[in-house]
């Protein structure tokens, strides 16, 4: 009987060893699975960090782009004002030149004939640059809706219709011509 009980205990110990071995194997597999999941989570974290860095770079790029665009717009506004000032300067020079030329021709004609003591006075004031109604049609058509609206507002003319919508360019041009 003793040998049977020893054999039973031995068999029981072997089974327990097998169970322990299976448990170790299962624990090893679970450890590998946990390691894989950890590695996957690290890769995802790295990917998210790269995406975040890329988004920050894009935001910086867009900020620089917007800043350049704003500077360009400001420069264009200054250039436009300078161009308008030059046009006004040239217009006054041309009218002054025309007036002096006219005065000289009038003076010559009065000295040549001397019969008529009436001397024609030269016109020293021409249409100012602010008077857009006197501009040529093609020049007016080159004005933007914003410029036309600003001009009409400055002259005290409404640039909106009854419902509050901005007038179309053709209507704005007609309003300028009617001044």
């Amino acid at each position: 009987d003793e040998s049977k009980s020893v054999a039973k205990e031995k068999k029981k110990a072997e089974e327990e060893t097998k169970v322990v071995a299976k448990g170790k194997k299962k624990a090893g597999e679970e450890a590998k699975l946990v390691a894989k999941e950890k590695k996957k989570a690290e890769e995802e974290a790295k990917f998210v960090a790269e995406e975040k860095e890329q988004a920050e770079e894009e935001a910086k790029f867009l900020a620089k782009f917007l800043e350049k665009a704003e500077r360009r717009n400001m420069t264009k506004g200054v250039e436009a004002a300078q161009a308008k000032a030059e046009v006004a300067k040239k217009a006054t020079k041309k009218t002054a030149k025309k007036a002096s030329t006219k005065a000289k021709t009038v003076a010559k004609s009065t000295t040549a004939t001397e019969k008529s003591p009436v001397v024609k006075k030269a016109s020293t004031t021409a249409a100012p640059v602010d008077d857009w109604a006197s501009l040529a049609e093609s020049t007016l058509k080159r004005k933007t809706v914003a410029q036309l609206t600003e001009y009409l507002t400055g002259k005290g003319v409404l640039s909106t219709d009854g419902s509050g919508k901005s007038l179309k360019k053709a209507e704005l041009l007609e309003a300028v011509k009617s001044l």
Side-chain angles (χ1 to χ4, degrees):
D1 275 335
E2 203 173 297
S3 64
K4 282 186 182 180
S5 68
V6 170
K8 273 187 180 181
E9 282 183 29
K10 195 176 182 182
K11 194 174 185 181
K12 200 175 186 181
E14 285 176 0
E15 286 178 5
E16 285 178 2
T17 306
K18 285 181 183 178
V19 169
V20 169
K22 282 184 182 179
K24 282 184 180 179
K25 187 178 179 182
K26 194 171 187 179
E29 289 174 359
E30 286 180 5
K32 285 180 183 178
L33 184 64
V34 168
K36 280 184 182 179
E37 288 178 358
K38 183 179 177 182
K39 186 176 180 181
K40 188 176 179 180
E42 287 172 353
E43 287 175 357
E44 286 180 4
K46 185 178 177 183
F47 178 74
V48 168
E50 287 174 355
E51 281 188 338
K52 183 180 178 183
E53 185 179 323
Q54 187 177 13
E56 288 172 352
E57 287 176 12
E58 286 179 11
K60 286 178 186 177
F61 173 77
L62 288 175
K64 285 181 182 178
F65 180 77
L66 288 174
E67 186 178 320
K68 284 181 184 178
E70 286 176 6
R71 274 194 251 135
R72 218 176 299 127
N73 284 340
M74 291 174 82
T75 304
K76 284 183 182 178
V78 170
E79 289 171 354
Q82 288 173 345
K84 286 181 182 179
E86 281 185 39
V87 168
K89 197 179 210 182
K90 285 180 182 178
T92 56
K93 282 183 181 178
K94 283 182 182 178
T95 56
K97 204 175 208 182
K98 284 181 183 178
S100 66
T101 306
K102 212 173 199 183
K104 285 179 185 176
T105 57
V106 168
K108 284 181 184 177
S109 68
T110 54
T111 56
T113 56
E114 287 189 10
K115 290 180 183 175
S116 62
V118 177
V119 177
K120 290 183 180 178
K121 193 173 187 181
S123 172
T124 56
T125 58
V129 178
D130 272 352
D131 187 15
W132 286 10
S134 64
L135 293 176
E137 177 100 14
S138 60
T139 305
L140 271 178
K141 284 184 178 180
R142 281 182 273 162
K143 301 289 184 188
T144 64
V145 172
Q147 290 172 324
L148 292 167
T149 304
E150 183 180 338
Y151 174 76
L152 288 171
T153 305
K155 293 289 185 177
V157 178
L158 289 177
S159 59
T160 56
D161 60 10
S163 63
K165 291 183 180 178
S166 182
L167 295 176
K168 294 181 180 175
K169 188 170 184 176
E171 295 168 331
L172 292 169
L173 291 171
E174 287 301 317
V176 169
K177 288 177 193 174
S178 69
L179 291 177

